[in-house]
Amino acid sequence: GLGVLPRAMAALGAYRCIECNGEATELYRDYQRGVLRISICKSCQKPVDKYIEYDPVIILINAVLCKAQAYRHILFNTKINIHGKLCVFCLLCEAYIRWLQLQDSSQNTDPDDLIRYAKEWDFYRMFGIASLEQTSFFIGIFITLWWMTPEMLKRKSDFILLLKALLLSTYGKLLLIPAVIWEHDYTPLCLAFIKVFVLISNSQAIRVTLNLNRILPWFAIFFGLILENGVVCLFQKMGWDV
């Protein structure tokens, strides 16, 4: 309920209405003696953030459904600082999937230590490749958005907020874990669906953060994919298995 929201947050200001994206100075008002009331947005006359009453599981479900309101709640009205750790964990999951696929393509079963160390190095290499690919993908997005809407990315804080939103929206890669646990013949199809889901989440994160229409975020993602695939082609020309 409202009681779980830290009272100190009400003094910070600079919140956003999850319905119209309008600015708000507070999420709720405390009338003392346990009486709390959600603030009403002056622009749309709706509750500024209804999710402060919701259970985290319901918020997560709404985020999985890519609802803009849930994204605004998470990005603007909460203080979540797990984006760095989440990014590293998702990259580890992706590297592990690629490492497994690489091992499946190798028929060498020699238990020699050199072979074991080589396989361990392959995992680190896959982690590095996945990191470079994601970095190039984000760079492509930033370049496109800065070129198309330079007024949206004037300040350093705008870049940081967008980067945080993109990192958080990659949470779909966590679905790689059950894809590995419940391995079956349709794993490539599952990986394709996970990739599409992550791209949809990225698009929604860009749209919510910069308050854009639906077309421009997809255009930025398309350019990011081109840059990412360019990096993949470069690795392949170098003779690396990706």
Side-chain angles (χ1 to χ4, degrees):
L2 290 173
V4 302
L5 187 71
R7 296 190 179 186
M9 290 184 64
L12 295 176
Y15 296 112
R16 295 285 184 89
C17 173
I18 64 172
E19 300 293 341
C20 68
N21 202 41
E23 293 186 357
T25 57
E26 60 183 6
L27 298 180
Y28 68 94
R29 182 161 295 180
D30 188 352
Y31 291 96
Q32 303 299 326
R33 297 183 180 180
V35 180
L36 302 172
R37 181 180 179 183
I38 298 178
S39 300
I40 302 299
C41 177
K42 296 180 180 179
S43 299
C44 64
Q45 301 302 315
K46 294 181 179 180
V48 172
D49 191 346
K50 62 183 179 180
Y51 284 115
I52 61 176
E53 289 188 301
Y54 286 22
D55 188 89
V57 176
I58 298 178
I59 298 174
L60 178 60
I61 293 173
N62 280 263
V64 170
L65 295 175
C66 290
K67 290 190 175 182
Q69 295 89 340
Y71 274 71
R72 291 191 184 105
H73 167 77
I74 295 171
L75 293 174
F76 299 121
N77 299 338
T78 60
K79 300 298 177 183
I80 296 179
N81 294 311
I82 64 170
H83 47 282
K85 296 178 180 178
L86 179 63
C87 175
V88 172
F89 190 70
C90 288
L91 287 173
L92 286 172
C93 293
E94 188 170 354
Y96 183 68
I97 287 289
R98 297 186 180 194
W99 180 78
L100 280 181
Q101 293 174 339
L102 183 65
Q103 300 309 309
D104 290 340
S105 63
S106 175
Q107 301 298 324
N108 195 334
T109 58
D110 192 337
D112 188 82
D113 286 346
L114 291 176
I115 300 299
R116 181 154 36 90
Y117 291 143
K119 290 182 178 181
E120 183 178 349
W121 165 248
D122 283 337
F123 175 78
Y124 298 140
R125 180 165 61 87
M126 291 300 164
F127 179 81
I129 292 174
S131 301
L132 288 175
E133 288 180 7
Q134 180 163 295
T135 300
S136 60
F137 175 67
F138 286 169
I139 289 175
I141 290 176
F142 276 105
I143 290 176
T144 306
L145 292 174
W146 182 79
W147 176 54
M148 297 292 292
T149 58
E151 70 279 1
M152 294 289 184
L153 298 172
K154 289 182 178 179
R155 299 170 297 178
K156 180 180 178 182
S157 58
D158 297 329
F159 282 95
I160 294 175
L161 180 60
L162 180 56
L163 178 61
K164 177 181 177 181
L166 286 171
L167 292 175
L168 288 175
S169 63
T170 59
Y171 68 92
K173 291 184 179 181
L174 296 178
L175 296 174
L176 293 171
I177 298 176
V180 173
I181 296 175
W182 298 313
E183 184 178 359
H184 49 70
D185 296 336
Y186 301 103
T187 297
L189 183 61
C190 292
L191 298 181
F193 277 123
I194 292 172
K195 178 69 174 179
V196 172
F197 176 73
V198 171
L199 292 179
I200 293 174
S201 299
N202 292 154
S203 173
Q204 190 71 307
I206 296 171
R207 179 185 169 217
V208 167
T209 304
L210 301 181
N211 197 26
L212 300 173
N213 56 34
R214 296 179 182 272
I215 299 176
L216 187 55
W218 279 111
F219 184 77
I221 287 175
F222 177 73
F223 189 79
L225 288 174
I226 292 177
L227 195 59
E228 179 183 347
N229 289 328
V231 173
V232 172
C233 292
L234 179 62
F235 288 142
Q236 290 176 343
K237 287 185 178 180
M238 295 172 59
W240 289 14
D241 292 323
V242 294

